[in-house]
Amino acid sequence: QKKFPALVEETAGERLRTLGFNKSHSLLALKDIYLNSEEKANIGPSGNRSFFYIFAAIGFFILLIACINFMNLATAKSSLRATEVAIKKAIGATRWELASQFFIETVLYVSLSLGVAVFFILVGQNYLASNLGIVFSIDSWLDGQILGFTFLILMLCICLAGSYPALMLSSFSPSSIFHGKLGNNFSAAQLRRALVVVQFVISIMLIQGILVIKQQMQYIQNEDLGYSKSEKIVLPLSTSIASQKATALKQELEKIATIGEAGLTSTHPGLRSIEDMLVFGEGKSREENIHVSLNWSDRYYMSTMGFEFLEGRNFREQDSLAAIITEGTLGALG
């Protein structure tokens, strides 16, 4: 990367200075392209780090609600297991032995829950792939990092869900239990009420978030884009040889009866144009520039895509190569 400035100076330094422009280059590791790149024109698909954090937060809160439910059920049933604790302590069981027993029960419950979750993912993976574009495979789960992260989540759930019930149940005094004086020394009822409040607050937040996301998705799906996006097929011509044959390909496609119209373009909606420039008028400084993205197309492209014009007209056959259509004249972009 340190060699780039000298390369730019050698190949285009004088030209850039004449135009009043600066140009710089940087490198990006392949593994950083998906989530750690701020560039909009990568060589591959890019993810959204915000979405990653949102889904991670949703998953965390759902797990937290599940752990709170487990703690509430365990403490609510504490009176049913009090006699069991008293008898075991009377015959010599220590508090830590009882706590270990309750922890082992929690491990079994949580492990069973993980198995059920994996089962539902396998059953619903076709739905996830077709509707959300999320693809799961057994091979990806066998990755060391994935297995390690899953094990870490498993341990956190076990500790969070099982710690208080295990310590509370194992702390009961045999004499208090046998005399019916178990009482509420450890404020289990207050804790359950507090956990229920936290649980409902989180649930309301998640429901509100789901409603907002649903409205946003409905807006995206139903909003008029100003052009027709249905029944269109985009054929990328990625090489120079393919681009040279584009006109011949278009003519052959138009001979097919089921194809209504075909147009040529250098990019299309949904893809960022990588060809751009800064333009400033005569008598203006370069600081007073307008960033212009360019998209080269033939006169059939606009009608093929069904763009709606707010003003002006489409290209004509007699137009020169200097003819332009600005985004302000298109209903989709204006």
Side-chain angles (χ1 to χ4, degrees), residues 1-5 7 24-33 36-39 42:
Q1 183 167 299
K2 294 180 180 179
K3 298 180 180 179
F4 283 157
L7 178 63
S24 61
H25 299 276
S26 61
L27 295 176
L28 179 68
L30 288 176
K31 64 179 182 179
D32 293 333
I33 288 178
N36 297 325
S37 173
E38 297 181 357
E39 297 294 329
N42 285 318

Side-chain angles (χ1 to χ4, degrees), residues 137-192:
S137 66
I138 299 298
D139 293 338
S140 63
W141 287 351
L142 297 179
D143 179 78
Q145 291 183 341
I146 299 297
L147 289 176
F149 184 75
T150 303
F151 180 77
L152 176 62
I153 296 296
L154 187 68
M155 291 297 102
L156 289 176
C157 289
I158 291 171
C159 293
L160 181 60
S163 57
Y164 180 77
L167 295 176
M168 185 197 71
L169 294 174
S170 63
S171 65
F172 291 158
S173 171
S175 59
S176 299
I177 296 172
F178 289 138
H179 288 85
K181 299 178 180 179
L182 182 59
N184 195 26
N185 296 330
F186 295 92
S187 302
Q190 290 85 346
L191 177 63
R192 284 201 303 272

